[in-house]
Amino acid sequence: MNEAADQIFATLKQSSQSGAPLYLQLRKSIEDAVNRGLIGPGDALPSERDIAIKADISRVTVRKAVQDLVKGGILVQRHGSGTFVAPRMERVEQSLSRLTSFTEDMARRGMAVRSTWLDRGLYAPSPDEMMVLGLPSNELVARVARLRIANDTPLAIERAALSASVLPDPAGIGSSLYAALETTGLRPVRAVQRISAANLGDDDARLLEVPPGIAGLHIERISYLASGKVIEFTRSIYRGDAYDFVAELRLSGPGEEGRP
Ligand code: GLP
């Protein structure tokens, strides 16, 4: 790390004529060093004091730069042991044309999947759930909320709602909702998925082990049986640094909608 530290501060000296505030210059130097691989995931940063002495700037300036990088997810601070380069996420590429389950997606990549339960039970439905699932107000909704973890990295928070007549025992689904639905012949065959950007709130960020406020993806999936009946209404928050959704696009054929 000493060699790397020297390089970081060498860049700082080179850029110090740029006129930008010193903390921004230091932040950029550290960021560049991470991007260029001079310091890698898990490497410890020198102490605030050492950086201040080496770069000849105040500790307050160093702290400000480091805090910014922690907020941005580039560095992590571990209580009592110091500041480190954050572990790099291996991004998951996810096709948008296949209706698969989380368990299947991760198993195909050879990743070990597990989930932590956040909620499971039967409840009076919310207005959204009644509308999407077509539930009368006197029927119950089954809710299954899980933190989905692959290779020990939390990737998503998924909150699924199904009619209680479809899933009378939400606690009994085992490790895969779709596998459980398959056993009763109620696995969805079609789904509409809506993806939007979201900044992670404190609670979601804590569960996903990322700094609050960083970019995430809000995904809503409404799944259908072959009969056209809605079977699942799931709202999820995915880590933005972990997922690339990929869709194949084709020029529409003659007579198809959208042809110029
Ligand atoms: C995906 C979907 C969810 C679906 C889940 C089922 O992650 N986004 O809508 O509920 O798969 O996964 P599993 O069968 O592993 O529980």
Side-chain angles (χ1 to χ4, degrees):
M1 178 69 207
N2 268 345
E3 226 175 84
D6 286 344
Q7 295 203 39
I8 296 175
F9 304 119
T11 345
L12 186 66
K13 281 181 190 134
Q14 279 162 29
S15 64
S16 62
Q17 287 92 2
S18 74
L22 269 176
Y23 89 92
L24 284 181
Q25 293 183 31
L26 176 60
R27 191 181 80 183
K28 186 164 181 322
S29 300
I30 297 175
E31 226 170 341
D32 286 350
V34 172
N35 291 337
R36 286 162 54 207
L38 291 177
I39 42 175
D43 283 350
L45 215 67
S47 72
E48 207 174 273
R49 186 170 162 274
D50 286 353
I51 298 180
I53 293 173
K54 261 207 157 102
D56 196 17
I57 50 183
S58 77
R59 286 177 68 165
V60 178
T61 304
V62 176
R63 192 167 312 147
K64 198 160 159 37
V66 167
Q67 274 167 2
D68 264 21
L69 292 165
V70 169
K71 263 193 221 143
I74 310 242
L75 300 177
V76 282
Q77 268 170 333
R78 292 195 203 111
H79 229 60
S81 54
T83 307
F84 301 83
V85 178
R88 194 180 293 280
M89 268 307 298
E90 211 184 293
R91 294 182 77 90
V92 170
E93 210 169 90
Q94 175 68 53
S95 162
L96 278 175
S97 54
R98 279 192 307 267
L99 178 53
T100 46
S101 71
F102 186 87
T103 307
E104 291 163 341
D105 290 337
M106 298 305 137
R108 214 179 32 247
R109 297 181 173 90
M111 294 170 104
V113 193
R114 62 191 170 87
S115 302
T116 307
W117 286 105
L118 303 175
D119 186 14
R120 51 185 160 174
L122 300 176
Y123 296 90
S126 69
D128 276 4
E129 290 165 340
M130 279 185 342
M131 199 173 72
V132 175
L133 296 168
L135 280 180
S137 57
N138 59 351
E139 271 185 31
L140 296 178
V141 69
R143 290 194 194 135
V144 170
R146 295 168 290 173
L147 177 66
R148 317 289 323 248
I149 303 162
N151 281 1
D152 289 331
T153 303
L155 288 186
I157 300 164
E158 293 203 309
R159 300 180 182 280
L162 300 91
S163 157
S165 59
V166 167
L167 194 67
D169 176 20
I173 64 162
S175 57
S176 165
L177 173 63
Y178 279 15
L181 293 174
E182 188 137 29
T183 59
T184 49
L186 295 172
R187 182 174 169 140
V189 297
R190 184 173 77 80
V192 175
Q193 194 156 280
R194 186 180 291 269
I195 303 176
S196 47
N199 290 108
L200 299 184
D202 289 358
D203 292 348
D204 291 344
R206 189 178 36 79
L207 286 170
L208 293 171
E209 296 175 10
V210 290
I214 76 157
L217 297 163
H218 179 260
I219 301 181
E220 191 178 281
R221 182 183 285 189
I222 300 178
S223 314
Y224 301 82
L225 294 178
S227 64
K229 179 181 156 60
V230 173
I231 193 87
E232 170 203 13
F233 175 35
T234 295
R235 284 171 281 196
S236 315
I237 296 281
Y238 279 68
R239 279 175 66 147
D241 61 348
Y243 264 82
D244 286 324
F245 284 94
V246 180
E248 188 185 279
L249 309 176
R250 288 169 195 260
L251 194 64
S252 331
E256 284 179 46
E257 204 186 316
R259 190 168 172 83

